[in-house]
Amino acid sequence: MRIGPYQLENNVIVAPMAGITDRPFRQLCRRLGAGLAVSEMLSSNPKVWKTDKSMNRMDHSGESGVRSVQIAGADPELMAQAAQFNVQNGAQIIDINMGCPAKKVNKKLAGSALLQYPDLVEEIVQAVVGAVNVPVTLKIRTGWDPDNRNGVEIAKIAERNRIASLAVHGRTRACMYKGEAEYDTIKAIKQSVSIPVVANGDITSPEKAKQVLDYTGADAIMIGRAAQGRPWIFREIDYYLRTGKHLPAPEISEVRGILMEHLLNLHQFYGEPMGARIARKHVSWYLQSHDQEGQFRRVFNALEQPEAQIEALENYFETLAAN
């Protein structure tokens, strides 16, 4: 998989997820086999760039691999400025968000709401591509609703305006995350354009990854929710695509090591009290299959101090190992 001048190590990509794909999570996914990790979306509104939230999202210090930064907005000029600002800040790829289904994003006409207005899509793409000298990628859904699946039309707009790669989530905006993703539209998009196409949506296992790649003809796959609490899914999928064989599931001792590394990095990155709060959702995802009744997670979620979180997890894993 190639994006502009960048040859990725493999074709398994971390989807941008607001509140999740921060620097600690991106670094972990890269270390565990992802070919590229796209950052959380940044607003194109310059008024929010200096907030703590945006400053954290823009932090790429010491990050390995190609730095891809996603921007969101509906004003072509502001999107162009946001692209320039992020390139000055170290972005090597700019990704345009036209896939987010969240109400608060869509009511500003950003994210997947833009799919209703192909002319505006074209204006934004032209403005961003013309503003920076790095590759620009685009993430979309298949359309606004099942009666208006215009993914092929949007893909052609992307291609003729020099978009370097197109990621497609196999749902419309109206579908949100309900039901099952469909891959027919992604297949039709791949057949209608020559730029790289990345398939996204409901890819939860190595077998599903291969099935989706084979069916759609896509050049790469993008994993979002399936990586929550399971960042090793990237190496599992990459290995299966290369060899047709399965990697063994990580031992509990390795899960412990990965989780503790992630926890410490979150504490360090966000500081107190934010690091401990953000850690809660990640820990909950990691332990879903072990702590099925949620007993430990309820205790953990009440802890405010990083030290208390570390101690609680150490004790939890020691108890697991002893049983």
Side-chain angles (χ1 to χ4, degrees):
M1 174 69 181
R2 195 175 182 85
I3 300 177
Y6 301 112
Q7 179 66 50
L8 305 187
E9 286 166 30
N10 61 42
N11 61 345
V12 189
I13 299 171
V14 186
M17 293 178 280
I20 297 160
T21 50
D22 53 18
R23 196 182 80 199
F25 189 71
R26 291 194 304 273
Q27 284 293 86
L28 189 56
C29 293
R30 288 270 306 122
R31 185 171 78 66
L32 292 169
L36 178 71
V38 186
S39 77
E40 310 171 78
M41 67 177 174
L42 284 157
S43 169
S44 60
N45 178 0
K47 289 176 186 162
V48 302
W49 292 349
K50 294 293 179 206
T51 62
D52 287 348
K53 190 175 179 180
S54 290
M55 296 295 276
N56 278 330
R57 287 187 176 189
M58 291 175 191
D59 191 333
H60 298 275
S61 45
E63 194 165 342
S64 68
V66 181
R67 294 185 294 279
S68 175
V69 176
Q70 189 181 71
I71 58 173
D75 181 300
E77 201 175 321
L78 288 180
M79 287 288 278
Q81 288 169 14
Q84 289 170 333
F85 179 80
N86 282 290
V87 169
Q88 285 159 10
N89 205 39
Q92 293 166 297
I93 295 172
I94 292 291
D95 184 56
I96 301 174
N97 180 325
M98 293 190 189
C100 178
K103 262 189 191 146
K104 67 178 182 182
V105 175
N106 284 196
K107 73 179 182 193
K108 292 176 184 162
L109 203 63
S112 53
L114 287 163
L115 300 175
Q116 301 168 98
Y117 308 100
D119 290 349
L120 182 54
V121 167
E122 187 145 34
E123 280 179 52
I124 290 170
V125 168
Q126 284 173 348
V128 174
V129 171
V132 291
N133 59 358
V134 301
V136 177
T137 59
L138 176 63
K139 184 158 196 283
I140 65 170
R141 285 188 164 228
T142 54
W144 175 250
D145 61 35
D147 296 326
N148 296 283
R149 284 200 177 101
N150 62 342
V152 170
E153 180 190 1
I154 301 293
K156 287 178 175 172
I157 291 170
E159 180 176 45
R160 71 171 173 258
N161 289 289
R162 295 182 295 137
I163 285 292
S165 158
L166 177 70
V168 188
H169 182 113
R171 287 181 173 85
T172 67
R173 190 274 166 182
C175 300
M176 299 297 282
Y177 294 99
K178 298 186 196 84
E180 290 185 4
E182 58 91 10
Y183 306 109
D184 290 335
T185 307
I186 301 177
K187 183 179 186 176
I189 287 170
K190 178 60 194 166
Q191 286 169 352
S192 70
V193 294
S194 59
I195 57 174
V197 172
V198 182
N200 174 225
D202 292 356
I203 299 166
T204 54
S205 68
E207 293 89 345
K208 186 71 181 277
K210 185 170 185 338
Q211 190 188 327
V212 170
L213 282 171
D214 289 348
Y215 183 74
T216 62
D219 302 275
I221 47 157
M222 189 173 257
I223 311 283
R225 290 170 296 159
Q228 294 170 356
R230 194 182 157 203
W232 48 85
I233 190 172
F234 297 99
R235 72 179 181 199
E236 290 176 344
I237 289 175
D238 176 47
Y239 185 79
Y240 184 79
L241 293 177
R242 284 187 292 107
T243 67
K245 296 176 185 160
H246 286 278
L247 276 178
E251 299 280 342
I252 194 71
S253 58
E254 191 189 4
V255 173
R256 172 187 186 157
I258 291 167
L259 174 46
M260 296 311 276
E261 174 193 342
H262 195 173
L263 184 70
L264 293 170
N265 284 340
L266 287 169
H267 290 162
Q268 196 178 359
F269 185 70
Y270 289 102
E272 287 191 57
M274 212 58 203
R277 285 180 193 159
I278 286 169
R280 290 170 186 163
K281 63 187 172 193
H282 288 283
V283 168
S284 184
W285 289 324
Y286 278 102
L287 299 183
Q288 241 159 6
S289 59
H290 300 285
D291 178 39
Q292 286 175 355
E293 286 166 21
Q295 213 171 338
F296 172 76
R297 283 173 286 168
R298 279 192 290 278
V299 173
F300 187 86
N301 287 346
L303 302 173
E304 297 280 348
Q305 301 299 320
E307 298 76 18
Q309 288 190 334
I310 292 164
E311 190 183 345
L313 272 172
E314 291 286 10
N315 292 338
Y316 176 77
F317 279 106
E318 273 165 31
T319 308
L320 260 190
N323 289 340

